[in-house]
Amino acid sequence: GDSVTQMEGPVTLSEEAFLTINCTYTATGYPSLFWYVQYPGEGLQLLLKATKADDKGSNKGFEATYRKETTSFHLEKGSVQVSDSAVYFCALLPSSGSARQLTFGSGTQLTVLP
Amino acid sequence: KAGVTQTPRYLIKTRGQQVTLSCSPISGHRSVSWYQQTPGQGLQFLFEYFSETQRNKGNFPGRFSGRQFSNSRSEMNVSTLELGDSALYLCASSGQTGGGIYGYTFGSGTRLTVV
């Protein structure tokens, strides 16, 4: 079945550091890929998405490129801020089939220190 | 436009009781999905409703059920609550069944605590 593997956390960085959170997936065909962010006490917010190979999703300084050859969708940000502290989830949505559902990674807790 | 609204935000129930959670999707969205989030199991899919019909179901016992009304609002019911049902329950809406290619918009969740 489909699966998503995220790098284990927690990740602690200083403000203005470079961020990478690795995400790889297993799925047939060409799934859509997503990064969601969850702030304390809140639900999930869509951060960015990509729907086909080589697409780059971007939002709020975050970027991720859909790499079919390596089945990866790594999240990057050039300069993190304290306000970026949250849990980040990588997810996939299968490309076809009537019974589609989001499959999530286990989440990566990011803490940014001033 | 208004986002996905879940009520209540917090609930405390006793083992053996039942509970009903509510979700109002984004206006115009006809698909509503439910997810359970726990520290141990992460985010797990419960079920999806589209146009009042259950389209997909995850691997949860029959104590978990749901329904969708003609205005697309959805309710989720858990009967005979167990301590392990304590979780954040998230609702997500989409304009298409299966999320289309654009995925889902999530609500803020209902935090259920079973004591």
Coordinates of all heavy atoms in Angstrom, one line a residue, chain A residues 3-8 20-26 32-36 64-67 70-76 88-92 103-108:
Chain A
S3 N 2.6 4.6 1.3 CA 3.3 5.0 2.5 C 4.1 6.3 2.3 O 4.5 6.6 1.2 CB 4.1 3.9 3.1 OG 5.2 3.6 2.2
V4 N 4.3 7.0 3.4 CA 5.1 8.2 3.4 C 6.1 8.1 4.6 O 5.7 7.8 5.7 CB 4.3 9.4 3.6 CG1 5.1 10.7 3.7 CG2 3.3 9.6 2.4
T5 N 7.3 8.4 4.3 CA 8.4 8.3 5.4 C 9.0 9.7 5.5 O 9.5 10.2 4.5 CB 9.5 7.3 5.0 OG1 8.9 6.0 4.8 CG2 10.5 7.2 6.1
Q6 N 9.0 10.2 6.7 CA 9.6 11.5 7.0 C 10.8 11.3 7.9 O 10.8 10.3 8.7 CB 8.6 12.4 7.8 CG 7.6 13.1 7.0 CD 6.7 14.0 7.8 OE1 5.5 13.7 7.9 NE2 7.2 15.0 8.4
M7 N 11.7 12.3 7.8 CA 12.8 12.2 8.7 C 12.3 12.4 10.2 O 11.3 13.1 10.4 CB 13.8 13.3 8.4 CG 13.4 14.7 8.7 SD 14.6 15.9 8.2 CE 15.8 15.9 9.5
E8 N 13.0 11.7 11.0 CA 12.6 11.7 12.4 C 13.0 13.0 13.0 O 13.9 13.6 12.7 CB 13.3 10.6 13.2 CG 13.0 9.2 12.6 CD 12.4 8.3 13.6 OE1 12.4 8.6 14.8 OE2 11.8 7.3 13.2
T20 N 15.9 21.7 6.1 CA 15.5 20.6 5.2 C 14.7 19.5 6.0 O 15.3 19.1 7.1 CB 16.7 19.9 4.5 OG1 17.3 20.9 3.7 CG2 16.2 18.8 3.6
I21 N 13.6 19.1 5.6 CA 12.9 18.0 6.2 C 12.6 17.0 5.0 O 12.0 17.3 4.1 CB 11.5 18.4 6.8 CG1 11.7 19.4 7.9 CG2 10.8 17.1 7.4 CD1 10.4 19.9 8.6
N22 N 13.2 15.8 5.2 CA 13.2 14.8 4.1 C 11.8 14.1 4.2 O 11.3 13.8 5.2 CB 14.3 13.8 4.3 CG 15.6 14.4 3.9 OD1 15.7 15.5 3.2 ND2 16.7 13.8 4.4
C23 N 11.4 13.8 2.9 CA 10.1 13.0 2.8 C 10.3 12.1 1.6 O 10.6 12.6 0.5 CB 8.9 14.0 2.6 SG 7.4 13.1 2.1
T24 N 10.1 10.9 1.7 CA 10.0 9.9 0.6 C 8.7 9.2 0.6 O 8.1 9.1 1.7 CB 11.2 8.9 0.6 OG1 11.2 8.2 1.8 CG2 12.5 9.6 0.5
Y25 N 8.3 8.7 -0.5 CA 7.0 8.0 -0.6 C 7.0 6.7 -1.4 O 7.9 6.5 -2.2 CB 5.9 9.0 -1.2 CG 6.1 9.3 -2.6 CD1 5.5 8.5 -3.6 CD2 6.9 10.3 -3.0 CE1 5.7 8.7 -5.0 CE2 7.1 10.6 -4.4 CZ 6.5 9.8 -5.3 OH 6.7 10.1 -6.7
T26 N 6.0 5.9 -1.1 CA 5.8 4.7 -1.9 C 4.4 4.7 -2.4 O 3.5 4.8 -1.6 CB 6.1 3.4 -1.1 OG1 7.4 3.4 -0.6 CG2 5.8 2.2 -1.9
S32 N -0.5 13.0 -6.0 CA -0.3 14.4 -5.6 C 0.4 14.4 -4.2 O 0.1 13.5 -3.4 CB -1.6 15.1 -5.5 OG -2.2 15.2 -6.7
L33 N 1.3 15.3 -4.0 CA 2.1 15.4 -2.8 C 1.8 16.7 -2.1 O 1.7 17.8 -2.7 CB 3.6 15.2 -3.1 CG 4.0 13.9 -3.8 CD1 5.4 14.0 -4.2 CD2 3.7 12.7 -2.9
F34 N 1.8 16.7 -0.8 CA 1.5 17.8 0.1 C 2.4 17.9 1.3 O 2.9 16.9 1.8 CB 0.0 17.7 0.6 CG -1.0 17.5 -0.5 CD1 -1.3 16.2 -0.9 CD2 -1.7 18.5 -1.0 CE1 -2.3 15.9 -1.9 CE2 -2.6 18.3 -2.0 CZ -2.9 17.0 -2.4
W35 N 2.5 19.2 1.7 CA 3.1 19.4 3.0 C 2.0 20.2 3.8 O 1.5 21.2 3.3 CB 4.4 20.3 3.0 CG 5.6 19.4 2.7 CD1 6.2 19.2 1.5 CD2 6.3 18.7 3.7 NE1 7.3 18.4 1.7 CE2 7.4 18.0 3.0 CE3 6.2 18.4 5.1 CZ2 8.3 17.2 3.7 CZ3 7.1 17.6 5.7 CH2 8.1 17.0 5.0
Y36 N 1.7 19.7 5.0 CA 0.8 20.4 5.9 C 1.6 20.8 7.1 O 2.6 20.1 7.5 CB -0.3 19.4 6.3 CG -1.4 19.2 5.3 CD1 -1.3 18.2 4.4 CD2 -2.5 20.1 5.3 CE1 -2.3 18.0 3.4 CE2 -3.5 19.9 4.3 CZ -3.4 18.9 3.4 OH -4.4 18.7 2.5
A64 N 9.2 22.8 -2.1 CA 9.5 21.4 -2.2 C 9.3 21.0 -3.7 O 8.3 21.5 -4.3 CB 8.5 20.6 -1.3
T65 N 10.1 20.1 -4.2 CA 10.1 19.7 -5.6 C 9.7 18.2 -5.6 O 10.3 17.4 -5.0 CB 11.4 20.0 -6.3 OG1 11.7 21.4 -6.2 CG2 11.3 19.6 -7.7
Y66 N 8.8 17.9 -6.5 CA 8.3 16.6 -6.7 C 9.3 15.8 -7.6 O 9.4 16.1 -8.7 CB 6.9 16.6 -7.4 CG 6.1 15.4 -7.6 CD1 4.7 15.5 -7.5 CD2 6.7 14.2 -7.9 CE1 3.9 14.3 -7.7 CE2 5.9 13.0 -8.1 CZ 4.5 13.1 -8.0 OH 3.8 12.0 -8.2
R67 N 10.0 14.9 -7.0 CA 11.0 14.1 -7.7 C 10.6 12.7 -7.9 O 10.6 11.9 -6.9 CB 12.4 14.1 -6.9 CG 12.9 15.5 -6.6 CD 13.5 16.1 -7.9 NE 14.2 17.4 -7.6 CZ 14.5 18.3 -8.5 NH1 14.1 18.2 -9.7 NH2 15.2 19.4 -8.1
T70 N 13.4 9.9 -7.5 CA 13.8 9.5 -6.2 C 12.6 9.3 -5.2 O 12.8 9.1 -4.0 CB 14.8 10.5 -5.6 OG1 14.2 11.8 -5.7 CG2 16.1 10.6 -6.4
T71 N 11.4 9.4 -5.8 CA 10.2 9.4 -5.0 C 10.3 10.2 -3.7 O 10.1 9.7 -2.6 CB 9.8 7.9 -4.6 OG1 10.8 7.3 -3.8 CG2 9.5 7.1 -5.9
S72 N 10.7 11.5 -3.9 CA 10.9 12.4 -2.8 C 10.2 13.7 -2.9 O 9.8 14.1 -4.1 CB 12.4 12.6 -2.6 OG 12.9 13.3 -3.7
F73 N 10.0 14.3 -1.8 CA 9.3 15.6 -1.8 C 9.8 16.4 -0.6 O 9.1 16.7 0.4 CB 7.8 15.5 -1.7 CG 7.0 16.7 -2.0 CD1 7.2 17.4 -3.2 CD2 6.0 17.1 -1.1 CE1 6.4 18.6 -3.5 CE2 5.2 18.2 -1.4 CZ 5.4 18.9 -2.6
H74 N 11.1 16.7 -0.6 CA 11.8 17.3 0.6 C 11.4 18.8 0.8 O 11.3 19.5 -0.2 CB 13.3 17.2 0.5 CG 13.8 15.8 0.2 ND1 13.3 14.7 0.9 CD2 14.8 15.4 -0.6 CE1 13.9 13.6 0.5 NE2 14.8 14.0 -0.4
L75 N 11.1 19.1 2.0 CA 10.7 20.5 2.3 C 12.0 21.3 2.7 O 12.8 20.9 3.5 CB 9.7 20.5 3.5 CG 9.2 21.9 3.9 CD1 8.3 22.4 2.9 CD2 8.4 21.8 5.3
E76 N 12.1 22.5 2.1 CA 13.2 23.4 2.4 C 12.8 24.8 2.7 O 11.8 25.3 2.1 CB 14.2 23.4 1.2 CG 14.8 22.0 0.9 CD 15.8 22.1 -0.2 OE1 15.7 23.0 -1.1 OE2 16.7 21.2 -0.3
Y88 N 5.4 19.4 11.0 CA 5.2 19.4 9.6 C 4.9 18.0 9.1 O 5.6 17.0 9.5 CB 6.5 20.0 8.9 CG 6.7 21.4 9.1 CD1 7.2 21.9 10.3 CD2 6.2 22.4 8.2 CE1 7.3 23.2 10.6 CE2 6.4 23.7 8.4 CZ 6.9 24.2 9.6 OH 7.1 25.5 9.9
F89 N 3.9 17.8 8.3 CA 3.5 16.5 7.8 C 3.6 16.5 6.3 O 3.0 17.4 5.6 CB 2.0 16.2 8.2 CG 1.8 16.0 9.7 CD1 1.5 17.1 10.5 CD2 1.9 14.8 10.2 CE1 1.3 16.9 11.8 CE2 1.7 14.6 11.6 CZ 1.4 15.7 12.4
C90 N 4.2 15.5 5.8 CA 4.2 15.2 4.4 C 3.1 14.2 4.1 O 2.8 13.3 4.9 CB 5.6 14.5 4.0 SG 5.8 14.2 2.2
A91 N 2.4 14.4 3.0 CA 1.2 13.5 2.7 C 1.1 13.3 1.2 O 1.6 14.1 0.4 CB 0.0 14.1 3.2
L92 N 0.5 12.2 0.8 CA 0.2 11.9 -0.6 C -1.2 11.5 -0.8 O -1.9 11.0 0.1 CB 1.1 10.8 -1.1 CG 0.9 9.3 -0.7 CD1 -0.2 8.6 -1.5 CD2 2.2 8.6 -0.9
T103 N -2.6 9.8 2.8 CA -1.7 9.0 3.6 C -0.6 10.0 4.1 O 0.1 10.7 3.3 CB -1.0 7.9 2.8 OG1 -2.0 7.0 2.4 CG2 0.0 7.1 3.7
F104 N -0.4 10.0 5.4 CA 0.5 11.0 6.1 C 1.7 10.3 6.6 O 1.7 9.1 7.0 CB -0.2 11.6 7.3 CG -1.3 12.6 7.0 CD1 -2.6 12.2 6.8 CD2 -1.0 14.0 6.8 CE1 -3.6 13.1 6.5 CE2 -2.0 14.9 6.5 CZ -3.3 14.5 6.3
G105 N 2.8 11.1 6.6 CA 4.0 10.7 7.3 C 3.8 10.9 8.8 O 2.7 11.4 9.2
S106 N 4.8 10.6 9.6 CA 4.6 10.6 11.1 C 4.8 12.0 11.6 O 4.5 12.2 12.8 CB 5.6 9.7 11.7 OG 6.9 10.0 11.3
G107 N 5.2 12.9 10.8 CA 5.3 14.3 11.3 C 6.7 14.6 11.8 O 7.4 13.7 12.4
T108 N 7.1 15.8 11.6 CA 8.5 16.3 12.1 C 8.3 17.5 12.9 O 7.8 18.5 12.4 CB 9.4 16.5 11.0 OG1 9.6 15.4 10.2 CG2 10.8 17.0 11.5

